[in-house]
Amino acid sequence: MQAVVPDRGIAITKSSGVSLRPPAKINLSLVVFGRRTDGYHELHTIMATVDLHDDLTLRDADTLGIHLHCTGLGCPSEGENLVYRAAELLADHAGISPALEIYLHKRIPAGCGLGGASSDAAACLAGLNRLWKLELSREQLVPLAAQLGSDVPFFLYAPVALCTGRGEMVQPLSHRCSRYVLLIIPDLQVPTAQVYAHYRSNECRNEDFMRRVRYFLRQGDLDGLVIQGINSLDCTCMELFEPIRRLREEIEQEGIGPLQISGSGSCLFTTSGSREQMKQWAQRLEGRSLAQVYSVTFYHQTGPFLEVQHADL
Ligand code: C5P
């Protein structure tokens, strides 16, 4: 049995549970400037969610504590899991001693620039806000989200937003992308911090990137933007991770692409206006031992704050 709360739409069950589908994101553009005094880099990125998602269910437990049950692709242990940390942080903030069961099923591969862990964490904050009836506004959740990671606030505002600062300053955009997306995920995780540590900002190239980003933003043309392949971290990722560079070259030589990276990698992606072409490309790449391939579309539902979900507890 469940009752759907009409204003925000997160499904609430009689046994007090909420269920959400945290989506993956890709960076339609990513411009990274210099390193700041706090060690982070100033950036300008436009992110959009795609319809590859994890499943997150939160419900009251019979015993005190946060009990995390994680299944699926690569589950980090409790203390390292961003969902666990999100629950701890919100409980602390609200002065709650949690008795909480968390069921997380991971479909979004980790360490590949798709923001899976960040999305799970944002969904956890939004879901617990509802489960615990805290009635915190999105703006009140953002500082907590930002403590968990630079990408986390975006997922409170998804599906499409411009993110600046270290990534935590989010401005939702009304523009949408209508292209089909092919995600190619190499069998290799990329530590974000390593890519940023080796990154050297190139002012001239960034100026050119920003000129193009501003042009397509003014036009409201995100389809035009994404095919520009703007990502300041691309070269650094390819220099550090030779197998990714080789995989991209190999696939592009077969006429599939051009391929760009999402975030700091390792995910490679390309987009097309033709669903048929995407299907053909996905079929040609299926079964390669070096990579997982997903054919997805942009996900235009609003973020975990507003998303309609179904809890079946
Ligand atoms: O914020 P988050 O924990 O996701 O960042 C992971 C690492 O990526 C940071 O520790 C930092 O080294 C790097 N980073 C950065 N500038 C950003 C975002 C991340 O240097 N804007």
Side-chain angles (χ1 to χ4, degrees):
M1 283 291 288
Q2 60 180 246
V4 175
V5 178
D7 61 339
R8 291 202 177 136
I10 295 173
I12 308 270
T13 66
K14 264 192 175 166
S15 58
S16 289
V18 299
S19 201
L20 304 101
R21 288 186 188 165
K25 61 84 180 160
I26 56 175
N27 298 73
L28 305 183
S29 63
L30 172 59
V31 185
V32 182
F33 303 98
R35 190 192 288 272
R36 315 189 313 190
T37 49
D38 63 2
Y40 284 91
H41 290 75
E42 197 66 23
L43 52 84
H44 182 291
T45 182
I46 295 166
M47 300 202 273
T49 47
V50 293
D51 67 352
L52 171 66
H53 65 85
D54 289 340
D55 290 308
L56 178 69
T57 295
L58 307 161
R59 75 170 177 207
D60 293 333
D62 297 329
T63 53
L64 273 181
I66 299 169
H67 312 284
L68 175 63
H69 314 272
C70 189
T71 54
L73 290 176
C75 295
S77 59
E78 283 196 346
E80 288 164 25
N81 195 306
L82 219 48
V83 161
Y84 187 92
R85 283 174 45 206
E88 260 186 341
L89 187 65
L90 188 61
D92 228 43
H93 178 82
I96 286 174
S97 300
L100 176 67
E101 303 279 2
I102 303 178
Y103 298 90
L104 175 63
H105 183 66
K106 291 210 60 73
R107 289 200 189 82
I108 307 169
C112 67
L114 292 175
S118 299
S119 186
D120 297 341
C124 185
L125 291 178
L128 288 179
N129 187 36
R130 172 48 57 112
L131 182 70
W132 292 340
K133 301 184 176 60
L134 302 177
E135 300 197 355
L136 296 171
S137 67
R138 184 155 36 191
E139 289 65 33
Q140 287 173 300
L141 288 179
V142 164
L144 299 178
Q147 279 184 54
L148 294 163
S150 307
D151 276 357
V152 181
F154 161 74
F155 290 99
L156 295 173
Y157 289 90
V160 186
L162 161 64
C163 303
T164 53
R166 66 175 165 94
E168 88 290 15
M169 291 163 69
V170 186
Q171 191 184 321
L173 298 176
S174 55
H175 316 307
R176 295 290 179 263
C177 250
S178 59
R179 294 172 73 78
Y180 299 93
V181 186
L182 189 68
L183 303 175
I184 300 163
I185 300 165
D187 193 12
L188 190 138
Q189 294 192 5
V190 165
T192 306
Q194 191 183 344
V195 176
Y196 274 104
H198 284 82
Y199 173 70
R200 296 290 167 266
S201 175
N202 177 328
E203 236 174 81
C204 190
R205 193 185 50 185
N206 280 347
E207 240 169 61
D208 170 56
F209 280 167
M210 283 307 301
R211 192 177 47 77
R212 286 192 271 155
V213 171
R214 283 196 207 98
Y215 172 83
F216 286 102
L217 268 184
R218 265 199 309 274
Q219 305 290 316
D221 180 8
L222 296 189
D223 287 343
L225 176 68
V226 70
I227 60 180
Q228 300 295 307
I230 291 171
N231 187 323
S232 301
L233 299 177
D234 188 300
C235 291
T236 313
C237 172
M238 296 302 153
E239 275 165 26
L240 288 174
F241 300 96
E242 175 68 15
I244 304 176
R245 194 188 60 73
R246 273 205 312 270
L247 183 69
R248 169 155 81 180
E249 224 171 77
E250 209 180 280
I251 294 173
E252 285 184 342
Q253 269 167 16
E254 293 177 36
I256 296 174
L259 300 175
Q260 57 196 94
I261 60 166
S262 181
S264 53
S266 60
C267 174
L268 298 165
F269 74 93
T270 186
T271 65
S272 166
S274 154
R275 186 197 291 267
E276 204 40 50
Q277 182 175 56
M278 267 308 92
K279 256 174 49 189
Q280 279 176 17
W281 283 355
Q283 275 165 5
R284 279 170 52 193
L285 294 173
E286 256 167 35
R288 297 236 176 157
S289 56
L290 283 172
Q292 294 169 58
V293 177
Y294 299 86
S295 173
V296 297
T297 54
F298 284 100
Y299 186 63
H300 290 160
Q301 304 269 356
T302 41
F305 228 77
L306 300 158
E307 199 172 319
V308 175
Q309 295 302 339
H310 307 286
D312 193 11
L313 305 178

